[in-house]
Amino acid sequence: MREVGELKPLGAIGFAATASGDLERARRTGEELLELGARTSNSRASILGHLSLALRHSLAGEHRRAVEEAGRGRAAALDTTYRALAGVYHGLTLAFAQRWDEAAAVAAEMRPALEPLGMAQPLFWLRYLEAVAALARGEPTRGMAALEALQ
């Protein structure tokens, strides 16, 4: 039985398993994180479980499932840091599913709350999502200007 102190290492294992192509281990790790979150009422464990599964589903080409998992992770977020992480994952899964308007909407919703906090990494990815969504929607001038502004 896993303990709460193991949630970040488990999240890292899930990410690494997915990145290395071990989608079965990634699934098991995501489910283990969800179980840990349910057993301990730890929202961060639940979020990491949902996001681990979302990444796993995305790389397996299961885009509908990925978007649903990332959405559940976002809904479970109780603090700003994990809300930012979940928002980025949700936006990315929507982009992988080529649901550009929804990806841009997630980014537009999240950015105003994060900008005053100076959360550089989530803000970078949210701005990137907006730029890529603009390109995909046939707005090359806006999309390229947004990409150039990311430097």
Side-chain angles (χ1 to χ4, degrees), residues 8-53:
K8 288 183 182 179
L10 276 175
I13 290 168
F15 183 86
T18 301
S20 69
D22 189 349
L23 299 183
E24 179 56 27
R25 183 168 188 191
R27 182 194 58 75
R28 285 192 318 267
T29 303
E31 289 172 354
E32 196 170 342
L33 282 159
L34 289 175
E35 184 277 326
L36 177 64
R39 183 171 46 79
T40 64
S41 299
N42 186 300
S43 67
R44 289 180 170 190
S46 298
I47 293 162
L48 288 176
H50 288 302
L51 300 184
S52 292
L53 290 171

Side-chain angles (χ1 to χ4, degrees), residues 50-130:
H50 288 302
L51 300 184
S52 292
L53 290 171
L55 180 60
R56 180 253 173 246
H57 295 325
S58 283
L59 294 182
E62 300 169 1
H63 299 297
R64 181 190 53 77
R65 290 178 70 190
V67 169
E68 290 170 359
E69 277 303 337
R72 284 192 278 276
R74 193 166 163 218
L78 299 178
D79 63 81
T80 304
T81 300
Y82 278 72
R83 186 174 296 119
L85 179 64
V88 168
Y89 268 74
H90 195 208
L92 288 171
T93 60
L94 287 162
F96 294 153
Q98 298 183 6
R99 293 166 56 177
W100 306 112
D101 291 337
E102 293 168 86
V106 167
E109 178 187 333
M110 297 292 302
R111 273 194 318 102
L114 301 179
E115 284 173 340
L117 303 174
M119 298 181 79
Q121 288 299 315
L123 285 168
F124 170 86
W125 287 108
L126 294 171
R127 290 179 181 125
Y128 176 80
L129 280 170
E130 289 176 320

